[in-house]
Amino acid sequence: MRIIPVGVHLDEFPYSPTSFGNVIGFIGNMSFSLNLDAVRHFVREIFPSLRDRFGMIFRIIGACPISIQREFLGHRNVEVTGTVARIADAVTGVFCGVCPIRGGAGIQNKILNYFALGIPCVSSEIGAAGLEVCAGEDLLVYRNASEAVELIGQLYQDETKRRELAESGRRILEEKHDWRRIQESVFAEVECLLTERAALASRR
């Protein structure tokens, strides 16, 4: 058995951390039920306090059915991009990305996207569970809605922390989830398996 990690094509997600902006980003296909649940929870239970205290904007980036777009656009300071040609072009002004996932398992691609782009990430415990990361150093992890509000608010006011998280996230991405490196490892593993099979066949 060979385990190959999820990867990101770095050419499509250039590292471009921002030192300004009041936008919270969420990257995800809104046809997926777990993403829809996560965003509904965030918009209802977490975002209102941040919007009212700091004037923040919440931007949902990715494919989104028209009916769901209408639902979220009914909330003040919420933006919905719908399908975009390139995610990197839709994150202007995003000072942090969120992963408020409440169910599921495995690595969340949206967190890898944030890491690649240099966007500090604030995640639920479930959202961060599939990654080999250190909470507080590589990303921020919350246990409940009030803690999420506090962490995002602190991050908004702390440019140094945003820069540190961006640098750490990108480093993790390059070391463990760069698709080019993963592709090379896949070829190497296949070659190894073929060599092992040939060696077994020769002994029969």
Side-chain angles (χ1 to χ4, degrees), residues 48-63:
S49 294
L50 296 165
R51 177 194 61 208
D52 296 343
R53 287 170 57 187
F54 302 104
M56 291 181 189
I57 294 168
F58 180 48
R59 183 180 301 154
I60 304 164
I61 303 166

Side-chain angles (χ1 to χ4, degrees), residues 12-120:
E12 292 297 314
F13 293 87
Y15 182 64
S16 54
T18 180
S19 59
F20 62 91
N22 68 333
V23 181
I24 303 166
F26 177 91
I27 297 172
N29 186 330
M30 295 308 296
S31 295
F32 183 45
S33 62
L34 292 179
N35 281 340
L36 181 57
D37 171 77
V39 172
R40 280 175 171 157
H41 172 68
F42 186 83
V43 166
R44 295 168 181 171
E45 306 298 331
I46 298 172
F47 180 62
S49 294
L50 296 165
R51 177 194 61 208
D52 296 343
R53 287 170 57 187
F54 302 104
M56 291 181 189
I57 294 168
F58 180 48
R59 183 180 301 154
I60 304 164
I61 303 166
C64 186
I66 295 298
S67 60
I68 296 174
Q69 286 192 37
R70 292 196 189 100
E71 173 188 341
F72 288 121
L73 290 174
H75 295 268
R76 185 162 50 92
N77 284 26
V78 173
E79 300 176 351
V80 183
T81 68
T83 301
V84 293
R86 189 166 178 260
I87 290 173
D89 297 330
V91 296
T92 302
V94 173
F95 76 92
C96 88
V98 292
C99 181
I101 294 295
R102 300 197 294 172
I107 292 174
Q108 292 292 325
N109 285 339
K110 58 181 60 57
I111 295 182
L112 299 185
N113 295 163
Y114 301 144
F115 281 179
L117 292 166
I119 297 174

